[in-house]
Amino acid sequence: MSPAAEARRAAANAEAFRRLTTSEPVLVDVRPAIEVVPGMTANTVLTSGPPLAWCDYVGGQRDALIGGALFEGLAATREEAIARFDRGEIVVGGCHDHGCVGSLAGIYTASMPVFVVENAPFGTRGFCNMYEGKSPKRLNYGVYDDTVKAQLETIGTVVGPMIGEAVRALGGVPLKPLMIRALNMGDELHSRNTAASLMFARELFPAFLDLYAGKPAAVRRTLEILTEDHYFFLRLSMAAAKATADAAHGVEGSSLVTAMAFSCKEFGVRVSGLDGWVRGPHASVEAKLFPGHDASEITWMGGESPITETIGLGGFAQAGAPTLQAYQGGSYEAMIARNLGLYAITAGENPDFKLPALGYRGTPTGIDVFKVLDTGTLPVMDIGIAGAGGGQIGAGIVSAPVDCFRLAADRYVARYAS
């Protein structure tokens, strides 16, 4: 590209980086998706990844879509659900097209409660549905049975409404301060959310105390779900990251990545200054599997939680989360080395998200397509691993495919080189 074009790209990237790092995501409500998600309809089921035609969804992601239709009462049997999808009577939508992000298969149906996160400085909103619970059998991992149905019903009738009522009573919950503090307490806000989950529960305690007299059972059950394991905050981290990344999307001339996502078929990225998805093959993975499972079972069924990495969290903050070794494998030395390498492919250091292990250096933030190609360093993501039979079978480190960045660079040059 010409010097003038490079100067324009640098200015555009500086603006996109400013938006990534000055966003202020605030949880303002929890409501059923049909009430708040743009374009949501009663017969729509949302799923993760660059959108595909219904016939192209396979394996666990297809099973999750069918499960969503059954849960929502859009069909009485699996066979009826498939027939209705085939006829277009049940509509498949992509989460990102509706302002949402989905964990693994990322299934949203009309009645499911979603977090509503506002980024007031830039007028963006991000939505994420709620964590289903600690069981490895979950709809977002391609499983739908009576146990999963009961979990979803508890979330929809007890936990979602209870948290929504508490959040509204508090006038909203600023998320960025919690995220900053959690990074100082050993979270990276993708695969480790221990501190953030507990701090979020603490934020709600005053409202829960006020609500307890009228709804003691609901308050108790909600607190159990909030604190029974350590992953509840992930969905809030994702919604906050979505509202933040969308603020940086659409900056003319920017080559910074604003989303990374999987489907059962492929991996894709969104780039601030380009339209649509840039699609490529599946990512590569280094996994630590739960006992009784092996690598032959690993499958892809979607996933948009790497939205956290696009704003400098997750794999881009892994040096601050040494206990992840026990969960996703590898060594702390390797985690630090990976994290240090990511500074070479990003626009700058986050002024708010700091890593104590690196002398309080800001996390590397704003993945630049051209820096990825110049250095050969690929973005890394901390993710859960799905099994071919459904359910979570482990966790690991995933490296994005270089193909997406080559294609994105080609599209960028074709659009902006002159």
Side-chain angles (χ1 to χ4, degrees), residues 111-199:
S111 67
M112 290 181 179
V114 298
F115 293 118
V116 183
V117 174
E118 286 188 353
N119 181 10
F122 299 101
T124 55
R125 272 187 165 194
F127 305 90
C128 195
N129 55 8
M130 300 185 77
Y131 180 56
E132 295 175 46
K134 64 182 180 180
S135 169
K137 284 187 171 185
R138 302 194 287 275
L139 181 61
N140 70 316
Y141 275 88
V143 178
Y144 186 73
D145 58 17
D146 289 342
T147 299
V148 173
K149 180 182 179 183
Q151 291 169 180
L152 292 171
E153 287 174 342
T154 298
I155 295 297
T157 61
V158 179
V159 180
M162 196 78 258
I163 294 178
E165 193 170 349
V167 168
R168 292 189 293 274
L170 293 168
V173 178
L175 297 177
K176 195 169 187 178
L178 297 180
M179 296 161 79
I180 291 169
R181 289 160 65 192
L183 286 170
N184 288 322
M185 298 169 71
D187 287 355
E188 41 73 89
L189 294 164
H190 187 165
S191 282
R192 190 181 193 276
N193 291 274
T194 304
S197 296
L198 293 173
M199 286 192 291

Side-chain angles (χ1 to χ4, degrees), residues 55-398:
C55 60
D56 290 328
Y57 287 104
V58 298
Q61 190 161 20
R62 183 181 177 90
D63 289 341
L65 284 162
I66 294 167
L70 294 173
F71 174 73
E72 196 61 28
L74 299 174
T77 65
R78 178 182 175 87
E79 292 71 26
E80 182 187 357
I82 292 170
R84 296 200 70 198
F85 276 118
D86 287 343
R87 295 193 297 267
E89 296 169 1
I90 304 175
V91 179
V92 180
C95 291
H96 274 282
D97 291 341
H98 295 262
C100 300
V101 276
S103 177
L104 267 293
I107 301 301
Y108 289 65
T109 63
S111 67
M112 290 181 179
V114 298
F115 293 118
V116 183
V117 174
E118 286 188 353
N119 181 10
F122 299 101
T124 55
R125 272 187 165 194
F127 305 90
C128 195
N129 55 8
M130 300 185 77
Y131 180 56
E132 295 175 46
K134 64 182 180 180
S135 169
K137 284 187 171 185
R138 302 194 287 275
L139 181 61
N140 70 316
Y141 275 88
V143 178
Y144 186 73
D145 58 17
D146 289 342
T147 299
V148 173
K149 180 182 179 183
Q151 291 169 180
L152 292 171
E153 287 174 342
T154 298
I155 295 297
T157 61
V158 179
V159 180
M162 196 78 258
I163 294 178
E165 193 170 349
V167 168
R168 292 189 293 274
L170 293 168
V173 178
L175 297 177
K176 195 169 187 178
L178 297 180
M179 296 161 79
I180 291 169
R181 289 160 65 192
L183 286 170
N184 288 322
M185 298 169 71
D187 287 355
E188 41 73 89
L189 294 164
H190 187 165
S191 282
R192 190 181 193 276
N193 291 274
T194 304
S197 296
L198 293 173
M199 286 192 291
F200 177 67
R202 190 182 70 175
E203 290 294 308
L204 300 185
F205 281 168
F208 284 158
L209 288 173
D210 291 338
L211 294 167
Y212 184 81
K215 302 176 181 179
V219 170
R220 282 197 300 269
R221 184 62 180 132
T222 300
L223 283 171
E224 287 173 4
I225 295 291
L226 276 170
T227 58
E228 68 181 357
D229 70 5
H230 307 300
Y231 295 100
F232 191 89
F233 194 86
L234 171 59
R235 305 303 180 86
L236 286 159
S237 180
M238 289 170 61
K242 174 62 173 169
T244 298
D246 276 5
H249 192 69
V251 176
E252 186 73 8
S254 173
S255 58
L256 299 193
V257 172
T258 54
M260 299 187 288
F262 305 86
S263 72
C264 57
K265 289 283 191 179
E266 60 196 354
F267 184 85
V269 300
R270 296 175 78 204
V271 176
S272 179
L274 298 177
D275 299 324
W277 288 92
V278 183
R279 302 170 186 242
H282 281 311
S284 60
V285 60
E286 300 174 33
K288 180 179 180 180
L289 302 181
F290 299 153
H293 297 283
D294 62 57
S296 68
E297 300 174 63
I298 295 174
T299 191
W300 301 102
M301 57 177 69
E304 295 173 337
S305 54
I307 193 72
T308 55
E309 276 78 4
T310 67
I311 71 163
L313 299 172
F316 285 63
Q318 64 186 265
T323 59
L324 278 183
Q325 298 168 81
Y327 179 57
Q328 63 187 26
S331 69
Y332 189 40
E333 291 77 14
M335 291 164 66
I336 291 174
R338 272 195 299 266
N339 211 146
L340 287 170
L342 295 170
Y343 286 101
I345 65 170
T346 48
E349 298 185 17
N350 199 299
D352 296 316
F353 298 153
K354 304 280 190 177
L355 294 173
L358 300 183
Y360 284 92
R361 194 173 178 183
T363 65
T365 302
I367 302 162
D368 186 341
V369 165
F370 289 96
K371 289 184 177 182
V372 170
L373 295 177
D374 289 344
T375 64
T377 298
L378 298 172
V380 297
M381 297 151 273
D382 301 334
I383 70 165
I385 304 296
Q392 184 178 5
I393 63 168
I397 294 286
V398 167

